[in-house]
């Protein structure tokens, strides 16, 4: 197992952590349904499954 010979400074630690951040999810507005949803994902509206503004599956009930 890796075992450091010397202690890393707080500056070095912080430089490594600069990329460890969350990004906001890209939301999109569906013109057909008026629903706000995550981009490039299908979404359920009034029991139907929509993708790119079109009904993909009618009377959709997710199995969970």
């Amino acid at each position: 197992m890796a075992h450091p010979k010397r202690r890393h400074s707080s500056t070095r630690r912080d430089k490594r952590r600069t990329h460890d951040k969350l990004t906001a999810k890209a939301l999109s507005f569906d013109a057909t349904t008026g629903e706000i949803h995550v981009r490039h994902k299908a979404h359920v509206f009034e029991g139907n499954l929509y993708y790119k503004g079109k009904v993909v599956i009618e009377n959709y009930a997710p199995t969970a």
Side-chain angles (χ1 to χ4, degrees):
M1 194 157 96
H3 197 73
K5 191 166 190 174
R6 300 206 188 286
R7 178 181 173 166
H8 282 197
S9 67
S10 59
T11 305
R12 195 174 169 115
R13 177 201 62 205
D14 294 342
K15 282 182 183 179
R16 184 184 70 246
R17 290 183 182 173
T18 57
H19 304 290
D20 297 343
K21 56 184 176 260
L22 297 175
T23 58
K25 295 195 176 194
L27 297 178
S28 186
F29 176 77
D30 192 355
T32 308
T33 61
E35 191 81 5
I36 296 175
H37 61 93
V38 181
R39 297 194 78 169
H40 305 290
K41 301 285 182 190
H43 64 281
V44 178
F45 180 73
E46 294 181 355
N48 298 328
L49 187 69
Y50 285 85
Y51 184 68
K52 292 186 178 179
K54 298 175 185 170
V55 176
V56 180
I57 302 173
E58 291 184 6
N59 301 324
Y60 176 75
T63 55

